């Protein structure tokens, strides 16, 4: 997997690891672009904490800051980094699907053989 995809995915996972950052993203997804003050009105998080979380979310590329009226900055969601993280997870899933499928088949055969053995013993 190319290192840039892995690096982007890592930043997204770090950003999503914190429940407050997930709440900020959810608020932006539900209500559209918002200022720090608007987010603080919607969430049980201080403006200062929201600002810090938005900085990390912006570093991960998950939000962008857009200048608005009267020098207010509105934050908007960006989906591209999330899509990269999804691609990363899909690649990992593909790598696991075949070995896990083979293990399941092996275990199913072992269970079937065990049941057949028990029937013969009865």
């Amino acid at each position: 997997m190319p290192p840039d995809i892995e690096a982007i995915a890592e930043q997204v996972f770090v950003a999503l690891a914190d429940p407050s950052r997930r709440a900020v993203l959810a608020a932006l997804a539900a209500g559209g672009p918002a200022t720090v003050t608007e987010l603080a009105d919607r969430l049980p998080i201080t403006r200062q904490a929201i600002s810090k979380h938005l900085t990390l979310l912006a570093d991960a590329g998950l939000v962008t800051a857009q200048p608005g009226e009267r020098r207010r900055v509105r934050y908007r969601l960006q989906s591209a980094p999330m899509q990269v993280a999804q691609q990363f997870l899909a690649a990992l899933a593909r790598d696991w699907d075949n070995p896990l499928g083979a293990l399941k088949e092996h275990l199913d055969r072992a269970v079937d053989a065990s049941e057949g053995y028990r029937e013969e013993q009865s």
Side-chain angles (χ1 to χ4, degrees), residues 26-51:
L28 289 172
T35 65
V36 172
T37 302
E38 291 167 342
L39 289 168
D41 289 343
R42 294 184 215 168
L43 299 167
I45 307 170
T46 65
R47 284 190 324 231
Q48 294 81 2
I50 289 174
S51 291

Side-chain angles (χ1 to χ4, degrees), residues 87-108:
Q87 291 170 351
F88 176 81
L89 290 174
L92 287 179
R94 279 191 303 273
D95 291 344
W96 277 91
D97 284 345
N98 290 337
L100 289 176
L103 176 62
K104 181 185 181 313
E105 288 176 20
H106 172 75
L107 294 174
D108 288 345

Side-chain angles (χ1 to χ4, degrees), residues 30-115:
T35 65
V36 172
T37 302
E38 291 167 342
L39 289 168
D41 289 343
R42 294 184 215 168
L43 299 167
I45 307 170
T46 65
R47 284 190 324 231
Q48 294 81 2
I50 289 174
S51 291
K52 289 181 181 182
H53 289 306
L54 284 167
T55 298
L56 195 140
L57 292 169
D59 290 346
L62 293 168
V63 298
T64 56
Q66 299 175 319
E69 300 172 10
R70 294 180 282 181
R71 299 190 308 171
R72 289 188 175 180
V73 176
R74 298 183 80 71
Y75 291 87
R76 177 182 300 275
L77 286 179
Q78 295 296 309
S79 64
M82 193 74 74
Q83 291 169 351
V84 171
Q86 288 173 327
Q87 291 170 351
F88 176 81
L89 290 174
L92 287 179
R94 279 191 303 273
D95 291 344
W96 277 91
D97 284 345
N98 290 337
L100 289 176
L103 176 62
K104 181 185 181 313
E105 288 176 20
H106 172 75
L107 294 174
D108 288 345
R109 283 192 305 271
V111 167
D112 290 344
S114 172
E115 288 174 356

Side-chain angles (χ1 to χ4, degrees), residues 112-122:
D112 290 344
S114 172
E115 288 174 356
Y117 176 77
R118 277 186 273 188
E119 288 176 7
E120 290 175 10
Q121 299 300 316
S122 341

